[in-house]
Amino acid sequence: MAKKPTSFFICRVCHTRYPKWTGRCDHCGEWNTLEEEKTSATPRRTPLNKAGRLTTARLDGKAQPPERIDTGMAELNRVLGSGLVPGSAVLVGGDPGIGKSTLMLQMTCALARGQQSVLYVSGEEAIDQIRLRAQRLELDRSPSTVNALELAASINVADISATLEERRVHRVVVIDSIQTMWHEDVASAPGSVSQVKHCAFELIRLAKTLGFVLVIIGHVTKEGALAGPRVLEHMVDAVLYFEGDRGHQFRILRAAKNRFGATDEIGVFAMTDVGLREVPNPSALFLAERHGNIAGSAVFAGLEGTRPVLLEVQVLLSAKAGDGGARRAVIGWDSSRLSMILAVLEARCGLKLGSMDVHLNVTGGLKITEPAADLAVAAALISAATGQPTAANAAYFGEVGLSGEIRQVAQTEQRLKEIGKLGFQYAVLPRHVGNANTRPKPPKGLIIQETGHLSDLVAQFAPKANDASS
Ligand code: TYD
Ligand code: MG
């Protein structure tokens, strides 16, 4: 006799389970986040090998590095750690509309072009829509590519797994998206926590047994209203997040977890009218629209993962409007760090900005998280306050301490290399501590300006004596 369906309630936000419905989750304190989950799954015993016993191994046996499948896209390979690993599961998460389907369709096409047999299953779009998108993307339609790529529109995981098990030809399978998938064993609606988990589990199990690469697309929403792919993070081998500001063309693919590679790699893309274009040299693009001779702008030599990128920090100061506190509007940086830099400039360098509204923007839609940006932010602020532009050919990096001292940051040599590569003449950076042998070597032609204290930086912007007379 089939087991009676059991029902329980699960919080959409923190995934705590409750036997009964309540209005507020005791665990995370959110209201109205419990949803009913029904499952008729009678536990079945399905041994993965015939004997139903574990095969154990010794630690000292030979280990081969995993085989890699070249995706045909260098930026994607870089984030994955030189390609896809057969039998692994990769989750590609991101906001709706950010370009996940576009990226994956371009990848499947590039794979098919390399004669890898690929299946793209869409639960969101009809076949015709995918074809139209492929047309818009001007994807390769040569017979050899077209033969290697199969499209399917389905949300039924049982059908998908039956097909994969029967055909056993696919090397890469893309599921777009996991929130649309449905498994008959679970009574709740697609997108619910248990449905998402169950479908993913079934597909991942199949990928491991049949040895294909499973790529799962998942939408994340800020409110966590959907059963986001966060529940899946621990089930898959790699988690990549596709990020960007929809108003800007840049998109960053970031590895948040990777069992087969580094997690701090990023891939940079630009969304164009013919799809995503790879950006092998992001600094040049981020600085393309820079006008060096405007006060309030400074170039920051940052690191995104292991990759150096130059970005422009812009500051605009204006007299405070109204009686309230001064406005601090920050895009792409941490506003509490901005307050700290402003306080340090005031307390240690006598630069009074308390009565000014401050607008700070990192161009290109990127978000900086490194404290190494402090020095560039300070330079932009001082430049805006004094009305003197920073040198058009200088780039900045360094952390600012509470006493105004400028502290060393990691990867100095890599940052200098990037600054040199982009044709800058000066690098303004923290003073080197330690012996001369460990001093990072700047590339040829780059002039190093070591700065120990913020007041030294302020002094560089002091109006020159002959300025007054001219
Ligand atoms: P899409 O890949 O459908 O996003 P997701 O799968 O993450 O929801 O991309 C959606 C957006 O990308 C859409 O708003 C239009 C834009 N876009 C372009 O700008 N150029 C293109 O060539 C394509 C295909 C999409
Ligand atoms: Mg999509």
Side-chain angles (χ1 to χ4, degrees), residues 155 178-182 188-192 195-196 226:
I155 61 161
I178 194 68
Q179 275 91 9
T180 58
M181 293 295 141
W182 174 78
S188 45
S192 61
Q195 198 58 270
V196 165
L226 256 160

Coordinates of all heavy atoms in Angstrom, one line a residue, residues 155 178-182 188-192 195-196 226:
I155 N 9.3 20.5 -18.5 CA 9.5 20.8 -17.0 C 9.5 19.5 -16.3 O 9.6 19.4 -15.0 CB 8.4 21.7 -16.5 CG1 7.0 21.1 -16.6 CG2 8.5 23.1 -17.2 CD1 6.0 21.8 -15.7
I178 N 15.9 25.6 -12.8 CA 15.5 24.6 -11.8 C 14.1 24.9 -11.2 O 13.4 24.1 -10.7 CB 16.6 24.3 -10.8 CG1 16.3 23.1 -9.9 CG2 16.8 25.5 -9.8 CD1 16.4 21.8 -10.7
Q179 N 13.8 26.2 -11.1 CA 12.5 26.7 -10.5 C 11.3 26.3 -11.3 O 10.2 26.3 -10.8 CB 12.5 28.2 -10.3 CG 13.2 28.7 -9.1 CD 14.6 29.0 -9.2 OE1 15.1 29.0 -10.4 NE2 15.3 29.2 -8.2
T180 N 11.5 25.9 -12.6 CA 10.4 25.5 -13.4 C 10.2 24.0 -13.4 O 9.2 23.5 -13.9 CB 10.5 26.0 -14.9 OG1 11.8 25.4 -15.4 CG2 10.6 27.5 -15.0
M181 N 11.2 23.3 -12.9 CA 11.1 21.8 -13.0 C 10.2 21.2 -12.0 O 9.9 21.7 -10.9 CB 12.5 21.2 -12.7 CG 13.5 21.6 -13.8 SD 13.0 20.8 -15.4 CE 13.4 22.2 -16.6
W182 N 9.6 20.1 -12.4 CA 8.6 19.4 -11.6 C 8.8 17.9 -11.5 O 9.2 17.3 -12.5 CB 7.2 19.7 -12.2 CG 6.1 19.0 -11.6 CD1 5.4 19.4 -10.5 CD2 5.4 17.9 -12.1 NE1 4.4 18.5 -10.2 CE2 4.4 17.6 -11.2 CE3 5.6 17.1 -13.2 CZ2 3.5 16.5 -11.4 CZ3 4.7 16.0 -13.4 CH2 3.7 15.7 -12.5
S188 N 4.1 19.3 -4.1 CA 4.1 20.8 -4.1 C 4.4 21.4 -5.5 O 4.9 20.7 -6.4 CB 5.0 21.4 -3.0 OG 6.2 20.7 -3.0
A189 N 4.2 22.7 -5.6 CA 4.3 23.3 -6.9 C 5.8 23.5 -7.3 O 6.7 23.6 -6.4 CB 3.6 24.7 -6.9
P190 N 6.1 23.6 -8.6 CA 7.4 23.9 -9.1 C 7.9 25.2 -8.4 O 7.1 26.1 -8.2 CB 7.3 24.2 -10.6 CG 6.1 23.4 -11.0 CD 5.2 23.5 -9.8
G191 N 9.2 25.2 -8.0 CA 9.7 26.4 -7.4 C 9.7 26.3 -5.9 O 10.4 27.1 -5.2
S192 N 8.9 25.4 -5.3 CA 8.9 25.3 -3.8 C 10.2 24.6 -3.4 O 10.9 23.9 -4.2 CB 7.7 24.5 -3.4 OG 7.8 23.2 -3.9
Q195 N 10.4 20.8 -4.0 CA 10.4 20.4 -5.5 C 11.8 20.7 -6.1 O 12.3 19.9 -6.8 CB 9.3 21.3 -6.2 CG 8.8 20.8 -7.5 CD 8.3 19.4 -7.6 OE1 9.1 18.5 -7.9 NE2 7.0 19.2 -7.4
V196 N 12.3 21.9 -5.8 CA 13.6 22.3 -6.3 C 14.7 21.3 -5.8 O 15.5 20.8 -6.6 CB 14.0 23.7 -5.8 CG1 15.5 24.0 -6.0 CG2 13.1 24.8 -6.6
L226 N 11.3 33.2 -3.9 CA 11.3 31.9 -4.5 C 12.2 31.0 -3.7 O 13.1 31.4 -3.1 CB 11.9 32.1 -5.9 CG 11.0 32.0 -7.1 CD1 11.6 32.7 -8.2 CD2 10.6 30.6 -7.4

